[in-house]
Structure formats: structure tokens, C-alpha cells
């Protein structure tokens, strides 16, 4: 059956009032009060919630094409990071970049996502690793949402890597946590993230950041179990995290913990693909325990230089065996959940009128195409 698993309504109508959805159902049952409203004809296309990219690093300086070449020559992501490349090389480029330059480059990335029908983009800091640059990144992120019709959700990722010349513990206590407090005081932080990994921070260090986030009333999320399992997913679940992201090395017990805490597993197939990973996230366990799964680009210059959420959906299906219906839920309903946004990501009365109209006849086409963008119109807050 066409559209099974999507809640698809054939010959549907959606009534909008201001920024909100007022009614949705069969066109034949449209309440008379909307009969005289201005109409946009869907022309046989498919309407979905506008897409949500719930994990990106689109604010960054420089590029790391040389590391791409090094990996093709046999070096691993971890080896490159331990040799002084990786995240800290983007830190140098981001520290050097002027605010306007960072903003201009990030705007081109945001425009590419908007062109795919995206209405919400999460943007992380984490390439500053000092107070000044972490604040600069988050201010750029906020500016993106002022310059473009898109909702930007900012995430403080001070605990992303240990900067050159510092010890991890000292960095967390003397730089990262004070930077978090300063960024929060400026209203720049919607959530707090960390990178829990052998090449970054352990659960005790991340726990200190999360304790401060909790004290400030900020939700947390975590890059967890990407390259190994060191307990990040369980830590995230213990803190009631919005999401645990990557999670290739998560176990059945981790999936159980995420389900119990109501956290979303954010799948990032672009990083899995770029780093030639072979260990896949435990999709069957997530399904079994009822863990919501989101899909995002992880757009960053190192592990996922990927500017297409539609491609991430395709990869989530092809590489991780998500169904196209799961991939679409993962870039709408469950992506909203991963950001703590209750008022969008589904087409229902009262929800925000962020919609995408596609030139397709089956919603599975969104995941099936490779490098194809069938967007016809994006509606943002009720406005085309
Ligand atoms: O989500 N895993 C850590 N952080 C990023 C990579 C950042 C980078 O390599 O610059 C990620 O994959
Ligand atoms: Fe990331």
C-alpha cells in the first residue's frame, strides 16, 4: 500500500492559521470555516512536515580535505586526531576566522539545507575551546536565525576536544565550564553536548559538564559510542538526555537505558560513511526497546562534510537498514524530539506550520533518491 507507515492521507487538506496548523484531514471533510481561505494547490505532490537537521557543526572555519586524503592512504580518524589533526585543526581555523567570515560561510551551508525543505537546524559550538571563540561561534549561530527564515537551536559543545597544551581535567574545569556559564548568561545556549570518547573526554569529565548544565536548567545530549564503548550512552540516559548521537558501539543494555530515559538515538550515517566504519548502530535493539531514532547530517569539516539531509536519509536506509518511513520520522518527528521541540515535526492541529511540498508521488522517494532534491515549496511558520 502506498505510504504505509507514514499516516499518509490521500487527497488531504491542511488548514493554516497564522504560524500554526488549524486542521488536517480529507479535503472532502474540510470544515466550512476554512472554505473561503486562500489556497495553495498541492498539485498531486506529497506534503510532509518541514525537515529538521538535529545535529550539525555548520559554523566552522577552514576545511580538512587533506585528512580525507590521509584516510584514503590508510590513516584512521583516531590516528589523525592523536597526531594533532582532526578537531583541533578546525579549532585553529575557527579561532582565526572573523565573525563575518564565519557567518558568511555558515549561511551558504544553511541555504543548502533550507533548499531541501529544512526549517530547523541545530548548530553546535566546539571549535573554539576557549571562551572567546566558543562565544563567537554561538553568536554566529544565533545570527544565522536572524538572517534566514529558519529556527536555529544552539548547542554548547565546549567538551569537544582537549585543546593543545592543556590537560583534559584542567580544560573542563578552567575553560569549558566557565565558558558554558558565560554563554548561558548571554542567552546563547539551548542545550549542552560533549564528545565522550577515548580521544576526547571520559564519563567523569562529561559528568561534571552535565552537572553544571543541570544546575543551569539546560538539557543535555552527547556524542556517545562513536568509535568505542566507554559508557557515554548510559551517562546520557542517567541525565535524561534529549539524545545520544552516533551510538554505533551502543549495546542492547544502552538501548534499554535510552528507552527508559526517553532519549532519542541520533544516527549520523555521513560520519559512519566518511570514516569507513564497519560497526553499525544497534537498530534492532532500538526498535525492540522503542528508542526513537533521528537522522542528521552531522555536517562538519572532519567526519561528515555532508550538506544534504536527504542524502543522510538515503544512507540511513542503505547503510543502517532503516525503512524510508523511519528515516522520514527521523528527520521530522523524532528530530524535533531530539531538540526538545514539542510543537513541530508532525502535521497536526496546534503544531507549527512548517511544511514541505515535494514533487513526488510516494513518500519513500525522499529516501530512495541519491542526490535528488524534489522540493517544490517550503512553508515556514505558515508562509511559503
Ligand atoms: O560529530 N565526533 C565528534 N565530533 C564530530 C566530528 C568533528 C570533527 O571531526 O571536526 C562528529 O563527528
Ligand atoms: Fe557531531
Amino acid at each position: 500500500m502506498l505510504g504505509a507507515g507514514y499516516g499518509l492521507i490521500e487527497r488531504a487538506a491542511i488548514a493554516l492559521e497564522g504560524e500554526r496548523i488549524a486542521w488536517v484531514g480529507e479535503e472532502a471533510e474540510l470544515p466550512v470555516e476554512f472554505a473561503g481561505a486562500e489556497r495553495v494547490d498541492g498539485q498531486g505532490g506529497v506534503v510532509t512536515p518541514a525537515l529538521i537537521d538535529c545535529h550539525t557543526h555548520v559554523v566552522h572555519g577552514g576545511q580538512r580535505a587533506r585528512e580525507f586524503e590521509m584516510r584514503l592512504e590508510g590513516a584512521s580518524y583516531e590516528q589523525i586526531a592523536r597526531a594533532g589533526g582532526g578537531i583541533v585543526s578546525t579549532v585553529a581555523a575557527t579561532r582565526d576566522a572573523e565573525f563575518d567570515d564565519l557567518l558568511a560561510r555558515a549561511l551558504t551551508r544553511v541555504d543548502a539545507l533550507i533548499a531541501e525543505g529544512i526549517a530547523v537546524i541545530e548548530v553546535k559550538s566546539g571549535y573554539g575551546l576557549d571562551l572567546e571563540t566558543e562565544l563567537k561561534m554561538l553568536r554566529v549561530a544565533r545570527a544565522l536565525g536572524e538572517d534566514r527564515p529558519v529556527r536555529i537551536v544552539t548547542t554548547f559543545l565546549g567538551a569537544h576536544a582537549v585543546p593543545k597544551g592543556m590537560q583534559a581535567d584542567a580544560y573542563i574545569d578552567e575553560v569549558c565550564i566557565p565558558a558554558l556559564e558565560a554563554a548561558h548568561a548571554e542567552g546563547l545556549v539551548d542545550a549542552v553536548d560533549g564528545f565522550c570518547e577515548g580521544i576526547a573526554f571520559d564519563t567523569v569529565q562529561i559528568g561534571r559538564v552535565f552537572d553544571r548544565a543541570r544546575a543551569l536548567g539546560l538539557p543535555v545530549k552527547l556524542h556517545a559510542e562513536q568509535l568505542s564503548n566507554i559508557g557515554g550512552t548510559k551517562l546520557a540516559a542517567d541525565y535524561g538526555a534529549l539524545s545520544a548521537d552516533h551510538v554505533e558501539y551502543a549495546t542492547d543494555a544502552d538501548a534499554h537505558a535510552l528507552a527508559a530515559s526517553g532519549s532519542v538515538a541520533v544516527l549520523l550515517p555521513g560520519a559512519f560513511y566518511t570514516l569507513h566504519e564497519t560497526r553499525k548502530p544497534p537498530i534492532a535493539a532500538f526498535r525492540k526497546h522503542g528508542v526513537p531514532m533521528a537522522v542528521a547530517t552531522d555536517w562538519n569539516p572532519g567526519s561528515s562534510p555532508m550538506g544534504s539531509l536527504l542524502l543522510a536519509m538515503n544512507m540511513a536506509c542503505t547503510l543502517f537498514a532503516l525503512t524510508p518511513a523511519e528515516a522520514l520520522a527521523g528527520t521530522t518527528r523524532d528530530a524535533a524530539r531530539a531538540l526538545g521541540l514539542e510543537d513541530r515535526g508532525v502535521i497536526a492541529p496546534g503544531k507549527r506550520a512548517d511544511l514541505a511540498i515535494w514533487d513526488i508521488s510516494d513518500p519513500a522517494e525522499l529516501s530512495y533518491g541519491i542526490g535528488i532534491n524534489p522540493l517544490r515549496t517550503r512553508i515556514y511558520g505558515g508562509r511559503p
Side-chain angles (χ1 to χ4, degrees):
M1 190 190 109
L2 176 68
Y6 297 95
L8 187 76
I9 305 172
E10 291 189 54
R11 278 176 289 281
I14 303 170
L16 310 183
E17 266 174 351
E19 290 190 343
R20 301 274 147 189
I21 296 166
W23 184 89
V24 58
E26 307 243 357
E27 191 181 9
E29 291 167 15
L30 184 72
V32 283
E33 58 184 293
F34 302 115
E38 180 196 336
R39 283 179 182 237
V40 177
D41 189 343
Q43 295 172 327
V46 172
V47 182
T48 67
L51 304 186
I52 296 173
D53 195 350
C54 69
H55 180 140
T56 87
H57 308 251
V58 291
V59 175
H60 59 258
Q63 47 78 21
R64 307 219 303 263
R66 177 61 199 133
E67 291 180 12
F68 173 68
E69 292 177 324
M70 288 165 73
R71 282 195 303 275
L72 291 172
E73 289 156 9
S76 75
Y77 184 67
E78 278 179 279
Q79 285 165 342
I80 292 167
R82 291 194 192 281
I87 293 170
V88 296
S89 68
T90 297
V91 169
T94 305
R95 285 179 180 173
D96 283 348
E98 299 290 340
F99 179 96
D100 287 342
D101 185 40
L102 273 184
L103 177 60
R105 286 168 193 276
L107 280 171
T108 66
R109 300 178 190 122
V110 163
D111 288 339
L113 294 175
I114 288 174
E116 286 193 340
I118 286 152
V120 181
I121 304 172
E122 185 256 17
V123 181
K124 299 177 195 294
S125 71
Y127 291 123
L129 312 185
D130 62 23
L131 172 72
E132 187 192 347
T133 316
E134 289 294 306
L135 291 177
K136 177 172 72 176
M137 288 186 73
L138 292 167
R139 290 180 190 134
V140 168
R142 282 281 190 250
L144 295 169
E146 284 153 23
D147 287 3
R148 293 292 188 273
V150 69
R151 168 73 182 267
I152 300 292
V153 175
T154 56
T155 300
F156 177 84
L157 177 57
H160 194 197
V162 183
K164 280 187 186 135
M166 278 202 93
Q167 295 296 319
D169 281 308
Y171 170 71
I172 290 288
D173 299 328
E174 293 161 26
V175 179
C176 179
I177 290 175
L180 166 60
E181 287 171 339
H184 173 66
E186 216 181 293
L188 293 172
V189 184
D190 296 326
V192 176
D193 195 351
F195 185 20
C196 191
E197 190 61 63
I199 52 170
F201 300 97
D202 63 27
T203 52
V204 177
Q205 291 155 344
I206 297 291
R208 291 212 293 283
V209 178
F210 280 7
D211 283 338
R212 195 54 57 101
R214 184 180 267 173
L216 296 171
L218 294 168
V220 300
K221 44 180 56 238
L222 192 62
H223 287 70
E225 268 68 77
Q226 179 188 8
L227 308 169
S228 61
N229 190 314
I230 62 164
T233 305
K234 283 209 189 71
L235 178 81
D238 284 347
Y239 280 82
L242 290 172
S243 66
D245 302 40
H246 290 285
V247 290
E248 277 87 344
Y249 284 79
T251 61
D252 188 85
D254 291 326
H256 182 260
L258 290 177
S261 63
S263 309
V264 177
V266 178
L267 309 177
L268 304 169
F272 173 90
Y273 168 86
T274 300
L275 301 184
H276 307 207
E277 294 292 335
T278 51
R279 168 88 172 224
K280 300 187 183 194
I283 304 300
F286 293 147
R287 285 189 187 125
K288 179 178 85 180
H289 293 290
V291 179
M293 293 181 281
V295 175
T297 61
D298 193 15
W299 194 343
N300 75 70
S303 67
S304 189
M306 181 162 78
S308 169
L309 188 57
L310 291 170
L311 182 56
M313 290 167 68
N314 171 270
M315 286 180 171
C317 295
T318 304
L319 300 176
F320 298 160
L322 257 61
T323 67
E326 286 173 328
L328 182 57
T331 52
T332 54
R333 183 191 65 204
D334 294 332
R337 233 178 124 169
L339 299 178
L341 297 173
E342 303 292 323
D343 70 334
R344 63 197 78 194
V346 293
I347 302 178
K351 300 291 181 186
R352 203 181 134 85
D354 288 350
L355 302 168
I357 308 176
W358 309 94
D359 277 319
I360 56 176
S361 55
D362 182 332
E365 286 181 66
L366 294 178
S367 293
Y368 145 88
I370 305 171
I372 296 169
N373 179 7
L375 183 74
R376 189 194 304 152
T377 306
R378 189 190 73 136
I379 295 173
Y380 182 70
R383 288 163 189 255

